[in-house]
Amino acid sequence: MFPVSGILIAAALSSILSQQSAPIFQPGAPGAPARVITQAEAVDLGRTTFIPADVAFMQHMIVHHGQAVEMVDLLQTRAANETVRRLGQRIASSQAAEIDLMRDWLNTRGQPLEMPGMAGMHAGHDMGDHALMAGMLTPNQMAGLAAATGPAFDRLFLEGMIRHHQGALDMVDELNANPDAAEDPMLSDFATSVVADQSAEILRMQSILSEL
Amino acid sequence: MTIRSCLFSSAAALSLLFSVGQAQAQAPAGPRPPAVFPDARTALTGGLRDAGIAASNLALEYSVAPPPGFFDPDALFAPPTNRAEAEALQARNRASPPRYSALALANSDMAMSNGRLFVGNFHGFNGYDVSRGGAPELVLSVVCPGGQGDVSVHGNLLFMSVEQNRARLDCGVKDAEGEVNAERFRGVRIFDISDLNAPRQVAAVQTCRGSHTHTLLPSASDPNVLYIYNSATSGVRKTDELSICSDGEPGTNAETALYSIDVIKVPLDAPEQAAIVARPRIFADAETGAIAGLWKGGRSGVSSQRTAGTNHCHDITVYPELNLAAGACSGNGILLDISNPEAPKRVSDLFDPDMAYWHSATFNNIGDKIVFTDEWGGGTSPRCRAEDPANWGANLIASVREDRTMEGRNFYKLPGIQMATENCVAHNGTLIPVPGRDLMVQAWYQGGVSIMDFTDPNRPTEIAYFDRGPIDASKMVVGGSWSAYWLNGRIYSSEIARGLDVLKLVPSQYLSAAEIAAAESVMVATINPQTQTRAVWADTPDVATAYLDQLTRASAVNAELATEVRSQIDPWRAGSPDSRGAARLARTLNAESEKATGADQMRMKALAGLFERMAG
């Protein structure tokens, strides 16, 4: 069985050391000497933060991912092809997980989940095409998808989802084009994984589409 | 290859019960799924500096707070877990914006050289003198932000991984503008630390995806050459910033900076000339040559992990004496032949439906097993709760066959359930050099430190642990042990938020005083945990007793033989070895070893060999 022996509260046996100090160096560029800095300067160098473009990226991507989940909802009753169905479910679960991650990121930083005036975007009502994120289906296109069934639906779904995913890649490109954006490590990792995952899914969808 | 792990995937369990039953009938020590349950470390009280502690067979010797310039309570990272917390935080942040990004001052990986311990940090690194065996004494702090600050040491050079966009060549963070910036630095920095009172950056090797971790590989033929295998996980930088870089999938860009590692060559007499010499396509399909030849990403089955696609390695561990490297490469574990360091060649690969992200790799001392870790969720989430699968976010123990293919044998996960306020998943560790056994000490973030015995790869078990309660009992603040390494007789644990801990093994029924003494006797001048060297033990009474203790624990020797062995060791320890008796005992042990199997046979032969040498 599981070994549990000699449980002890070790704090009594150990010495908790108070803070020590030594010179703090800030190196220069390669070849240049280091300079000695103060404790306050050292801490200051660690301060970084996100910028409004990062927040907007996450807010927009939540809406963008939300539409993918809605498209897969339609797929449950309309798709003909089993491969398309399975792929759709996988996309929905990964996009839902990423939505949670993005909400966490915004919550952690005290940022609203939606941009002012963004309410209603999820449902796609009352909006012209121009207000949608890159690659998103317009309300008319969503209605067209909802009206289709069988092989016609499969084709529309794949075409729509490929464009939708491509839009996400464009959004990441746009974010990265801003030199001050994506410096937050978690956001940077997330953006990288969006690119990796969605590129792979696009390839997969193109291959399924060619075989329909 | 993945049948065993499918066994533990709930959906596949029923269909495979039959075949597994057969396997167990043939091999009595067959795999069984890892078990996790509540224990003394499950519900410890919280606190940054005063959290409750539970330890089993480990004692905390020293706990060193983060140095000046490397701590600020505002830099602690606490994702809210409910709406009320989120709203409170939003209100706070509106009043005064947060000043730090996540992990801005987090401690990371470690290396040791000539009695000095170097602890990496997202903010730079710190050096401690540990040569006198007492409390670590801070001797140097270097501020050079850029994360994640993994460090290695070779001679007078210290190497550091840098991956974030904010990092600058001159170690500053300000005044760099524009999409393409000549001052931006992502890659491997090289510092000259020959004078700790005047550390100097001597080179900074730019790479396309920065550097998440790196691994040193000294050239076997040229003492003036050191190779670095660079593993980078983040985005590809713009071609205009670094001309060798371009992004995209191989289908559209055959020159893509994805799907490779960087091989950096460092001329030790002129480190400023360090440069990338190769970017091998180690994930290529062996037959077609397609660049993206391994896992494409996604789930392999309904209840499987969503495994990351293999377009990078997270970490590579080299074992130069075996000419092998084990790569933990996102969606796969891979084995590389590194006979030609500039052209590592993949000889086998492993996939597993329960592994989300292949994170790090550790060989056992002989090199016939590899422990791969799965950093499910990336390290900032609680993944050791009661509801988390016991084979997700765990270690996968693989065996390496003669033909250098690998086979997954079983999983090991931190057995003691952790709370939702503690980020926890398998992370970095090293072997503990106890002769006759495969032991590994390992960090599990806020799950603490755990020592795993994987001598039997089918049945890895825990033999010791150390754990603190959460940093904050009311919410999850990211912290815990990043790396826990056995470094010349002590376990050093780099705690993300709390500093540096030093732990000492305590004898128990699972590990004897002699086994501990044998491990503590192994001293190595320089230790970079991702560059493995073979532990060797001198012929000493402790080493002999260690083997005897193991054979006795396994009931592999009868009482008479055990007494005979002890009656040889005692006078030897007292300074008067009996060489004739040793020769006789060696013959007896060799004969007995023919009846033993597995690890016990190896221990008996090792003990016989030891007495043979003693007899002269």
Side-chain angles (χ1 to χ4, degrees):
Chain A
M1 285 299 285
F2 178 72
V4 176
S5 70
I7 301 299
L8 43 100
I9 300 307
L13 306 178
S14 70
S15 6
I16 307 294
L17 301 178
S18 57
Q19 215 172 44
Q20 311 176 37
S21 67
I24 308 175
F25 298 98
Q26 184 192 15
R35 65 187 187 109
V36 175
I37 56 174
T38 66
Q39 178 178 346
E41 285 173 317
V43 173
D44 254 355
L45 282 165
R47 290 184 182 156
T48 61
T49 188
F50 50 87
I51 61 171
D54 293 322
V55 175
F57 170 80
M58 289 305 224
Q59 290 166 336
H60 287 160
M61 195 63 95
I62 289 174
V63 177
H64 190 268
H65 275 37
Q67 191 185 59
V69 175
E70 288 172 11
M71 289 168 71
V72 175
D73 284 346
L74 293 175
L75 171 145
Q76 309 296 346
T77 52
R78 293 166 176 83
N81 184 299
E82 189 50 34
T83 310
V84 175
R85 197 184 290 274
R86 277 204 306 272
L87 176 92
Q89 281 157 356
R90 205 171 78 197
I91 289 174
S93 71
S94 77
Q95 302 251 320
E98 289 182 356
I99 288 173
D100 287 347
L101 192 151
M102 291 186 279
R103 285 171 189 265
D104 278 353
W105 189 92
L106 289 164
N107 277 333
T108 308
R109 288 154 185 79
Q111 300 300 312
L113 298 180
E114 294 182 344
M115 274 188 138
M118 249 171 57
M121 264 186 164
H122 274 272
H125 300 311
D126 310 317
M127 299 176 61
D129 292 359
H130 63 278
L132 296 167
M133 316 310 156
M136 280 178 72
L137 272 59
T138 64
N140 280 342
Q141 288 170 324
M142 276 299 276
L145 185 64
T149 55
F153 175 88
D154 292 346
R155 186 167 291 278
L156 275 179
F157 177 86
L158 288 173
E159 287 169 355
M161 193 63 89
I162 289 171
R163 205 171 69 231
H164 179 274
H165 273 30
Q166 192 59 53
L169 301 185
D170 293 345
M171 286 166 72
V172 174
D173 277 350
E174 195 188 328
L175 178 78
N176 287 335
N178 183 334
D180 297 324
E183 298 206 347
D184 178 291
M186 297 198 95
L187 184 142
S188 164
D189 284 356
F190 169 72
T192 305
S193 73
V194 163
V195 172
D197 296 350
Q198 308 224 351
S199 310
E201 282 173 3
I202 288 172
L203 277 182
R204 176 87 183 115
M205 288 190 284
Q206 281 166 340
S207 130
I208 298 171
L209 192 58
S210 69
E211 286 161 13
L212 279 184
Chain B
M1 210 180 289
T2 56
I3 284 178
R4 163 220 37 77
S5 52
C6 290
L7 164 66
F8 306 138
S9 290
S10 49
L14 280 178
S15 65
L16 284 158
L17 274 179
F18 180 67
S19 61
V20 165
Q22 282 183 325
Q24 281 176 342
Q26 290 155 13
R32 68 183 163 194
V36 294
F37 33 77
D39 67 13
R41 74 196 115 163
T42 299
L44 294 165
T45 55
L48 179 67
R49 304 290 324 162
D50 56 355
I53 289 178
S56 173
N57 308 329
L58 279 175
L60 179 64
E61 277 196 321
Y62 304 104
S63 181
V64 184
F70 287 79
F71 183 79
D72 184 332
D74 288 351
L76 294 174
F77 175 49
T81 51
N82 59 46
R83 180 173 290 256
E85 280 176 22
E87 282 170 358
L89 185 75
Q90 287 180 21
R92 263 201 317 279
N93 288 352
R94 269 193 298 275
S96 74
R99 295 174 301 166
Y100 294 99
S101 64
L103 303 174
L105 303 180
N107 281 315
S108 58
D109 212 17
M110 298 179 285
M112 184 182 274
S113 183
N114 296 319
R116 292 192 184 113
L117 175 69
F118 295 95
V119 182
N121 188 290
F122 278 61
H123 195 45
F125 64 90
N126 288 287
Y128 296 88
D129 186 338
V130 293
S131 62
R132 277 164 293 182
E137 185 191 334
L138 183 70
V139 290
L140 163 83
S141 290
V142 171
V143 172
C144 189
Q148 53 180 10
D150 280 21
V151 288
S152 301
V153 186
H154 185 92
N156 286 324
L157 300 179
L158 181 142
F159 303 83
M160 186 168 86
S161 283
V162 181
E163 68 178 359
Q164 295 169 0
N165 255 337
R166 66 181 172 120
R168 303 292 179 253
L169 268 174
D170 63 1
C171 294
V173 289
K174 300 191 168 72
D175 303 319
E177 291 171 355
E179 179 184 351
V180 171
N181 194 302
E183 296 302 309
R184 178 168 293 142
F185 179 72
R186 295 169 63 199
V188 179
R189 295 189 196 274
I190 307 179
F191 297 97
D192 182 334
I193 53 165
S194 51
D195 180 355
L196 292 183
N197 292 312
R200 178 184 284 258
Q201 185 173 208
V202 292
V205 183
Q206 300 267 19
T207 64
C208 292
R209 302 176 74 180
S211 176
H212 193 68
T213 69
H214 68 270
T215 305
L216 303 188
L217 175 59
S219 165
S221 56
D222 186 346
N224 188 45
V225 169
L226 175 74
Y227 291 100
I228 304 172
Y229 286 172
N230 180 51
S231 299
T233 59
S234 48
V236 178
R237 61 209 292 180
K238 298 290 179 203
T239 310
D240 289 346
E241 191 171 271
L242 192 59
S243 62
I244 57 170
C245 308
S246 65
D247 203 355
E249 289 299 311
T252 52
N253 175 15
E255 302 299 314
T256 180
L258 304 174
Y259 301 94
S260 61
I261 59 169
D262 304 299
V263 180
I264 296 166
K265 185 176 184 178
V266 185
L268 292 169
D269 58 0
E272 66 280 1
Q273 290 168 19
I276 295 174
V277 291
R279 292 189 288 161
R281 295 296 192 189
I282 56 172
F283 313 125
D285 187 288
E287 281 163 18
T288 65
I291 289 167
L294 294 177
W295 184 248
K296 301 289 188 290
R299 287 182 169 82
S300 68
V302 177
S303 65
S304 303
Q305 273 282 22
R306 181 167 166 271
T307 306
T310 305
N311 72 17
H312 63 263
C313 289
H314 177 278
D315 210 332
I316 295 173
T317 295
V318 295
Y319 201 151
E321 285 163 270
L322 302 177
N323 276 325
L324 284 177
C329 303
S330 187
N332 295 88
I334 67 174
L335 199 56
L336 299 167
D337 183 319
I338 53 169
S339 311
N340 178 355
E342 294 189 19
K345 187 178 179 315
R346 191 176 88 242
V347 291
S348 63
D349 47 81
L350 196 57
F351 172 80
D352 191 285
D354 288 314
M355 296 283 279
Y357 187 74
W358 297 67
H359 172 277
S360 53
T362 306
F363 290 93
N364 68 339
N365 200 44
I366 293 175
D368 62 357
K369 288 172 212 152
I370 300 171
V371 177
F372 288 104
T373 63
D374 174 16
E375 196 183 39
W376 169 38
T380 54
S381 317
R383 300 292 188 196
C384 304
R385 299 161 301 179
E387 64 264 37
D388 296 320
N391 53 335
W392 286 18
N395 297 339
L396 172 64
I397 324 286
S399 53
V400 183
R401 303 187 187 94
E402 286 290 316
D403 66 357
R404 304 196 292 190
T405 57
M406 296 180 285
E407 180 189 12
R409 299 292 288 274
N410 205 346
F411 291 97
Y412 170 89
K413 189 163 182 182
L414 184 81
I417 287 170
Q418 300 289 297
M419 290 187 282
T421 46
E422 296 172 288
N423 54 308
C424 177
V425 75
H427 213 231
N428 299 340
T430 56
L431 299 182
I432 299 177
V434 171
R437 295 174 78 176
D438 292 323
L439 301 185
M440 177 167 156
V441 59
Q442 186 181 7
W444 291 78
Y445 291 112
Q446 289 203 69
V449 173
S450 172
I451 299 179
M452 167 182 77
D453 181 339
F454 64 106
T455 311
D456 178 350
N458 291 334
R459 294 179 173 235
T461 54
E462 182 176 66
I463 62 164
Y465 67 76
F466 171 82
D467 187 25
R468 285 195 183 88
I471 289 176
D472 188 324
S474 64
K475 59 176 190 280
M476 210 211 65
V477 174
V478 174
S481 181
W482 178 286
S483 298
Y485 293 149
W486 177 271
L487 301 170
N488 289 335
R490 290 293 181 274
I491 292 162
Y492 292 87
S493 167
S494 156
E495 223 281 3
I496 288 174
R498 289 157 164 149
L500 174 67
D501 293 318
V502 186
L503 299 159
K504 182 179 167 43
L505 285 172
V506 175
S508 71
Q509 66 191 106
Y510 308 105
L511 192 65
S512 69
E515 289 177 289
I516 294 171
E520 288 178 352
S521 72
V522 177
M523 290 290 161
V524 184
T526 297
I527 306 177
N528 294 300
Q530 287 74 38
T531 305
Q532 270 189 254
T533 53
R534 182 163 283 179
V536 286
W537 296 268
D539 292 336
T540 65
D542 282 334
V543 172
T545 309
Y547 287 125
L548 177 62
D549 291 342
Q550 291 161 14
L551 291 165
T552 307
R553 192 181 295 122
S555 304
V557 283
N558 57 43
E560 193 185 344
L561 181 54
T563 305
E564 200 183 330
V565 174
R566 202 160 280 120
S567 70
Q568 280 301 319
I569 296 174
D570 289 344
W572 181 18
R573 199 183 282 280
S576 46
D578 166 14
S579 55
R580 194 177 302 169
R584 197 170 52 241
L585 181 56
R587 284 194 295 277
T588 311
L589 285 166
N590 270 326
E592 281 292 308
S593 75
E594 296 308 318
K595 296 180 224 158
T597 56
D600 290 326
Q601 184 174 54
M602 286 172 60
R603 290 161 182 157
M604 228 174 266
K605 286 187 166 164
L607 192 53
L610 197 151
F611 284 121
E612 269 165 21
R613 289 187 294 276
M614 187 177 146

